[in-house]
Amino acid sequence: MSDPKGETSDAIEEVAAAADAPKIDVEQGVEKEHACDNAEVPDVKGNDAGESSAKDNDEAAVGGGDEDPAAGIEEVKEHDGNNAGVTDVKGGDAEESAANDDDNAAVVGSDEEAPPVDIEEINVEEPRAVAFSDSTKEERSTLLASSGLASALADDLPFESHFTVRIPTSTLQYRGSLLRVIDTDDDQIILREVEDEGKKKVLVKRVSLETMSQKVLRIGYTLVTILFCGFLFVFCFEVLLLLIIATQVYSTSRAGELGQINGITLLSTLLAFPMMLYSMSSLMAMGSAFVMDTWRGGTLFRSSKSEMLYMFVFLVAPFFTLMICLFIQYQEAWRMTSGVWCALILVTFCVWSLAVTIREVNACFWLVEKLYYAPPEYGEEDPWKKKMSIAKIAFLKSQAARYSGTRKERYHVAGTDTVDGDGDKGFSSSDEYIPVETKTGLYSRLTALPCCSSTLRMFDTLDPPKRVWKCNESPSIVTKNNWVMQRMWCGGGDRKQKVIVANGPYALTSDQIKYSGLCTVLSSTLMTLVLIGFLVWMQLGSGAYLIVGVLAVVCIIYPIGRQSYELHKMYESVNVQPGYSRRSVTQSTGTTLFQVWETVRITQPKPSYCMFRGVLEVCVLFLWPLIAMLVLQNWPVAIVFFIMGTFSLVWRYFDSTAVLTEYGTLSAVKDKKLDHSKKYFFSTVGEDVINNKGRSIWSGLFIVLFLAVMFLFLSAQKSSDEIKPQDRGPRPPVLLVDDFYYPPTNDTLAYPTCKLTKGFTFSSPDPDSDQVEGSLLGDYAFLSAMAYETEAIVGYSVDKWLGESGLLVNDEDFVSQWRKDSGTSTSPVYFKLFTIPQNRKYAIMSIRGSETSYDWIVNMQLWSSAGLSQVIKWLTPFGWIWTPILPDLIYAISFVESKAIRDVAYYKVTTRFVNEVLGGYGDTGIEKIYVTGASLGGGLAVITGAQTEAYTVAISGLGAKLSRRMFDPPIELDALNDHTFNYIPERDYIARIGGRQQLFQNARCDAPKNNLFGCHSMWRSVCEINYRCGTNSRPVVCKCVTQFGYPEPVQNGTRTFKEACEEAQDEWDTMF
């Protein structure tokens, strides 16, 4: 290579001739820019030893020097989002090309430092500005001829925007210069040709398009859609929950009763779950995509009409509604406004989802017709038969992509590596590249067995394997300039597809490579340690710590650490051996090093097997459960299942990305009808909407929830019809000592509700006496705990608590007779009625809380919507502004609950009991019933009290404020605020579900903070009330000191508190 400059000139002449362009004089330093889609054009220079460097953090440097003039081929810089390479052709001495513009502009290809150049704001409406987008050679030549300009930006090779860029690039003639404008959603990248001292240069500048007002507007749009997406999740969870509850409800022959489920109904539920799971996870994935599209400004269907629609939905209609409500002085103006807002967003989402589905099916059919459909040789095929043939091919291609056996292969390669000179071919298609790691799943191994391929003839073995393509396989590039520690830390699975520059002036340093591996390992290790730390904090035991630690090391930390170590070794080998990858690699070419995972198809299902699987899925997983729901008259869930199942089958069997898996990327499809906007839409819908990565996350979440609820449901079958406490096994003893007391804390204002007077007074049984007696809060707390105990324990404990026998009687026979007469004996709800023999006009009803698995299912049935809605409100920024509409949204979701499921709700039984007893059942003479309960019992007491207007004292009861409209009959807010009272300890998260009514007492809780549900204990509440309010002649509960850590009470006798509790234990053991 004696004359490198001459060889370079010859090479350039050949390139120019091939492009039908004028020859380039290397000595004159004329710059050229060559760009095309998915192609990189080399940068040819004649410098001796120049180096390109970027000195501004926001600059993009294009071009560079060449240490070896004989090399001829310069490094390629990708400086825009459109895969357009800028070619810098120069001749001159060895000097450094630098970017020094303080205004984020990089001067490219200059032998000298260029002065800062400022680009003024572009007004495309000026008469001097001429614009054309992705133009052809003829169009640009005409423009240049009319303007008299010759430009480095107007080369013979046109710019072509890749479909990952939503907006095609544009070329403008502006003030004597030619500009290339590359638009993103928020920024513009402007390439401008400037001339300095006779030398032409290209400036690359970033201009921000987004204003603060626009950001605020988009944030407002997005917050509303996030709220909508949150309630979409609540809706999905409710459907899955009701699907399970309906299994038992519809197994009985009589509404209002519960019995053991039958096998057919259970089987139908299990068969419905896969389709429902796929439907709900797809719905949530589409909801997430809708949120992201809203944040981007509705880019998926952006047009003048869609812009007007979004403005109407998100701004005009809500503010117009608010204006009307304010003018007419409507008292709930914001509730009405937010309701209209959410309704419009629901309609917009439905239309958006329908449009996405239609466009996806059309895209699938178009690709099949273009790539696989073979028209008949003679004559024209009937249009209907043609569509059916295309649908069949699409179905088979989607099924084959889904059920083929695949193998994942990991390669470590350099940027110069290609297969047969084609950079688009996969490395798995060449025998010259050996994967460093392969992964074959169990399913894929099964499909490769001889019995599947030869005996049953379900699969064909592919030899050689076929590459499985994605719609877009463009990786991100990591250089020493854009390497960021946080990005590596949070990269997750995306780290596998990053292209790392390992050689040349932009190569990552050895420390950066080490830190990259350290970040991946450290992030996984820290997350594991945090999880173990949480388990330790929860005191779950060493077994749980060991299991989590071992699983994390084996499944996460070790694989990531091994990959990072191998990547570092490969990086070192590239720097030690310049000839790596079978090609000569010079230091200046910026050799890229990356690990790539490629998926290959090793087996493929036969068409007959694909058809069999499709028919089986439709008949068994869709039609059978649907028919079962219709037969059982579970209309709401059946309608949801039918609609979502139909859409799911369409998404599953007509998948455009599945059609492309064996053909290639979307760029490989060549057709004039497939323009840039269609490619962008196909790619976005196929990968970001229909096959959203979030679907797997939502699927995992729904699977966990379904299994948890199903476990509770199956466990409940053993106890749902056993309503008596004596049949539920032994409970901890209730040890009471009456020669000790707690004095009231009168030096503070804490707990003014220690004694309830208004509405809770008992008149004297003597008609000639005016004596009235209030109610102690501690008495209601104690009676709520008694609902869990057997009849014998209740009689003993109540007499000991009141200090006298017969003051309060547990009327077990009366309750049992009523349940038998009302036909509610099989209902799992359990309650007691305490009557006062000396005054038969009053009675106290105590409802038991959660004890069985079915009780927890009822908890979810009644309060899951409210609880999840509260979580969404807390997680959403400014979520409190949606509080007025939460009851309406919860009520709307409750429409998926059928009447049969509503009829078996626990509160139906308790409300009916109060109404019938007060109505004269049994001629008891009871005129007033006070209701109490703890936990679930407290929630049922609140509902019952509000529906019957009976005064209620709940201990850690769930609220009914948010879900008041979904009950039957609905609860009036005034009745809830006027007749119910709730005692709520701090850090009692369960008692805050459902929303608090106006009458409540916040209380202290001294339980350890690592005991998440310690403050929900009813006995802790009994102890807290007695300790703060004083025992008031009531005995002290021993567990207040021994279990909950309260101070020992004041002695009122001769024995110690320990001795008194030991004697109480002996007495308990003797009696029970």
Side-chain angles (χ1 to χ4, degrees), residues 227 866-880 882-883 886 962 988-996:
L227 177 76
L868 292 174
S869 301
Q870 288 175 292
V871 172
I872 292 168
K873 184 186 74 171
W874 293 332
L875 294 179
T876 305
F878 303 101
W880 53 270
W882 306 109
T883 300
L886 290 184
L962 296 179
D988 187 353
Y989 311 110
I990 296 178
R992 283 164 172 77
I993 295 176
R996 296 178 297 189

Side-chain angles (χ1 to χ4, degrees), residues 685-795:
V685 170
E687 292 192 338
D688 297 339
V689 181
I690 300 298
N691 295 298
N692 193 317
K693 293 180 180 179
R695 175 187 289 171
S696 58
I697 299 176
W698 291 114
S699 297
L701 178 60
F702 284 130
I703 288 175
V704 171
L705 293 176
F706 178 83
L707 293 178
V709 176
M710 203 66 188
F711 173 78
L712 291 175
F713 177 74
L714 295 177
S715 300
Q717 300 309 303
K718 301 177 181 179
S719 57
S720 61
D721 57 345
E722 299 168 359
I723 61 174
K724 296 182 179 180
Q726 57 264 28
D727 299 328
R728 301 191 186 277
R731 293 182 55 83
V734 182
L735 305 181
L736 305 174
V737 291
D738 51 10
D739 52 348
F740 291 84
Y741 70 94
Y742 284 119
T745 55
N746 295 322
D747 54 340
T748 68
L749 292 176
Y751 301 177
T753 57
C754 289
K755 188 172 184 178
L756 305 174
T757 54
K758 182 180 180 181
F760 289 91
T761 56
F762 294 89
S763 61
S764 172
D766 186 359
D768 299 329
S769 175
D770 295 332
Q771 180 183 1
V772 293
E773 192 172 328
S775 302
L776 297 177
L777 179 61
D779 289 346
Y780 285 97
F782 181 81
L783 292 177
S784 68
M786 288 293 100
Y788 293 81
E789 307 298 339
T790 64
E791 183 177 3
I793 292 177
V794 169

Side-chain angles (χ1 to χ4, degrees), residues 330 513 576 586 595 612 685 788 807 887 924 940 1000:
Y330 184 62
I513 287 289
V576 173
T586 61
Q595 71 170 8
F612 170 75
V685 170
Y788 293 81
L807 289 181
T924 59
L940 296 174
F1000 64 91

Side-chain angles (χ1 to χ4, degrees), residues 329-447:
Q329 297 183 354
Y330 184 62
Q331 296 300 312
E332 296 187 65
W334 177 243
R335 177 188 172 192
M336 178 63 69
T337 301
S338 54
V340 171
W341 209 344
C342 291
L344 289 174
I345 291 175
L346 174 61
V347 174
T348 303
F349 172 73
C350 293
V351 174
W352 186 87
S353 302
L354 182 61
V356 167
T357 303
I358 294 174
R359 295 287 292 270
E360 166 68 5
V361 173
N362 290 337
C364 180
F365 277 43
W366 186 90
L367 289 172
V368 169
E369 183 178 7
K370 173 67 179 176
L371 303 178
Y372 301 105
Y373 175 71
E377 296 182 3
Y378 304 100
E380 293 185 1
E381 189 175 7
D382 181 73
W384 177 251
K385 291 183 178 180
K386 179 180 178 180
K387 290 183 180 179
M388 293 301 296
S389 299
I390 293 175
K392 180 180 178 181
I393 298 174
F395 171 81
L396 293 176
K397 293 295 180 182
S398 299
Q399 290 288 82
R402 184 167 295 108
Y403 294 119
S404 293
T406 58
R407 180 176 66 232
K408 293 183 178 181
E409 300 176 350
R410 181 163 62 96
Y411 295 89
H412 281 172
V413 293
T416 53
D417 291 342
T418 59
V419 179
D420 299 330
D422 189 350
D424 291 334
K425 283 189 176 181
F427 298 101
S428 57
S429 61
S430 174
D431 295 333
E432 299 181 25
Y433 294 90
I434 300 176
V436 297
E437 180 184 1
T438 60
K439 291 183 177 180
T440 305
L442 177 61
Y443 171 79
S444 299
R445 295 178 186 273
L446 292 176
T447 61

Side-chain angles (χ1 to χ4, degrees), residues 837-856:
Q838 297 179 356
N839 196 338
R840 299 291 299 179
K841 295 189 299 181
Y842 300 95
I844 301 174
M845 178 185 184
S846 178
I847 307 174
R848 194 202 67 214
S850 304
E851 188 176 29
T852 68
S853 299
Y854 201 87
D855 293 339
W856 285 102

Side-chain angles (χ1 to χ4, degrees), residues 80 190 394 501 601 807:
D80 58 39
I190 301 176
V501 180
R601 189 177 293 178
L807 289 181

